[in-house]
Amino acid sequence: MTYEGKVINQNNEGLGILKNDKKIVFVPFALPNEEISYEITKQNKKYDEGTLIDIKSESIERQMPKCPCYFKCGGCDLMHQKYESQLEFKKNKVINNLKHISNINVDYIDIEYDNEFNYRNHITLSVNKNVIGFYKNHTNEIIDIDYCYISNDKINSVLKEIKKFINKYKENNIDRISIKSYNEVLINIESNNFKLINEFKEYVHFDSLYINDEYTFGKKEITVNLNKYKYNVSSKVFFQKNTKMTVKLYSYVKSLLNNNENILDLYCGGGGIGIFVSDKVKSVLGIEIIKDAIKNAKENARINDVNNIKFICGKVEDNLENINDIDTIVVDPPRVGLKRRAINDILKINSNRIIYVSCNSVTLARDLNYLKDIYIIESIKLFDLFPNTHHVECVVLLSRK
């Protein structure tokens, strides 16, 4: 059955919000104030999910997506929305989450941005014989792509070469393939029986090859430069997917720090932020659970001749009890945010300030609700590391009352 209605807003994922008999309906690719027709595809207790059938009255914020696969491919979700409007959506999303989840009222948030396209330095694609691409939303169907408009030029060049390889060797047994491209290119092949390494090397140009996250050929690590600092990156180690905007984000975090402070860097990964700010502060202590990341962080400190930084491998919440004499805590947790135990221990450390870096404003707002009795928000700034998607990076500076 087809319904008609007016889109009243967008949810956190950028889906259009409508009301149908007082029940909320989420419709992909629908923009606020558009009159649309839609079908209900899934009914839930509190809301329904729909699919866009037709646009009766089009928003001035709508644009034709640059990518011909956009409406089928699950790689992006906001390319139908003009970029200026995307930025406004992200600012409003964070403002609304802070208000409704933690009762924090913010009138305006600044957002930094750069390239809208060709920014992504890491991409993971699914493979089925000679088809390579992203899954169509909510399906197991792979949308075959020739070019990814949000990925950088090196990745797209490697993608062309991989397509030639899988067209020649359809029985390749590749399930997924990850491409990291910074100064050099690292490829990780996920397969239960990949036996075509020599053939792959003939078709595809890369600097480092892993199979199922195990080093196989070429360099063990590739490098990326952030200003004067050089970082080694391996297959398992996380690194921000937008290099230009990462420099802007890290530079901003650095600007918030005072000279000669003792810094606690939680969820430090490969030492990205800690090393970047090390020349301004007295000391940095980083904590991270992933062993490969800590190994990588120590190596990054060594190659950059950074001597005022130390690292602990383990869960953040298991390693905070005996830490003291910290001026500022920098936290950059995964999307799930901070565990309550970690928050309680952070409060016990009683640092002067906390800099919270978050890629999920829902869990950010939840955690700020626990911190706001002891800390006040000094500033909030957004960084659009993920244009044409609903994701946005937040940096919140908190000062102890």
Side-chain angles (χ1 to χ4, degrees), residues 31-74:
L31 294 174
N33 299 315
E34 289 186 330
E35 299 279 354
I36 67 168
S37 59
Y38 62 95
E39 289 180 353
I40 302 293
T41 54
K42 186 177 180 181
Q43 291 184 317
N44 302 287
K45 188 175 182 180
K46 293 185 178 180
Y47 65 91
D48 290 338
E49 299 172 42
T51 184
L52 180 65
I53 301 299
D54 189 32
I55 303 171
K56 307 294 184 182
S57 175
E58 193 172 277
S59 168
I60 59 171
E61 306 302 337
R62 180 172 290 277
Q63 66 179 1
M64 180 60 68
K66 200 172 182 177
C67 177
C69 301
Y70 171 68
F71 289 108
K72 296 182 290 184
C73 168

Side-chain angles (χ1 to χ4, degrees), residues 207-220:
D207 300 281
S208 176
L209 179 65
Y210 282 70
I211 297 177
N212 298 322
D213 284 321
E214 294 295 329
Y215 167 72
T216 304
F217 183 82
K219 296 183 174 183
K220 282 195 173 182

Side-chain angles (χ1 to χ4, degrees), residues 166-228:
I166 62 177
N167 280 324
K168 176 70 181 292
Y169 299 99
K170 293 180 176 61
E171 302 302 322
N172 50 66
N173 292 319
I174 298 175
D175 298 316
R176 298 206 309 171
I177 192 160
S178 170
I179 311 167
K180 292 183 179 182
S181 169
Y182 310 106
N183 300 343
E184 300 127 321
V185 172
L186 182 150
I187 292 175
N188 180 50
I189 293 170
E190 293 181 33
S191 169
N192 61 6
N193 190 24
F194 185 69
K195 295 181 177 179
L196 300 169
I197 293 175
N198 290 330
E199 292 82 356
F200 188 82
K201 281 156 47 178
E202 288 179 14
Y203 277 81
V204 184
H205 294 86
F206 57 83
D207 300 281
S208 176
L209 179 65
Y210 282 70
I211 297 177
N212 298 322
D213 284 321
E214 294 295 329
Y215 167 72
T216 304
F217 183 82
K219 296 183 174 183
K220 282 195 173 182
E221 296 166 326
I222 59 173
T223 60
V224 56
N225 289 91
L226 301 182
N227 285 0
K228 67 178 182 179

Side-chain angles (χ1 to χ4, degrees), residues 231-232 237-239 265 267-275 288 292-301 311:
Y231 298 84
N232 285 345
V237 174
F238 169 80
F239 202 86
D265 183 12
Y267 310 93
C268 67
I273 293 176
I275 290 170
E288 168 63 54
D292 282 359
I294 286 294
K295 181 181 176 183
N296 198 238
K298 290 178 178 177
E299 177 68 8
N300 288 333
F311 299 101

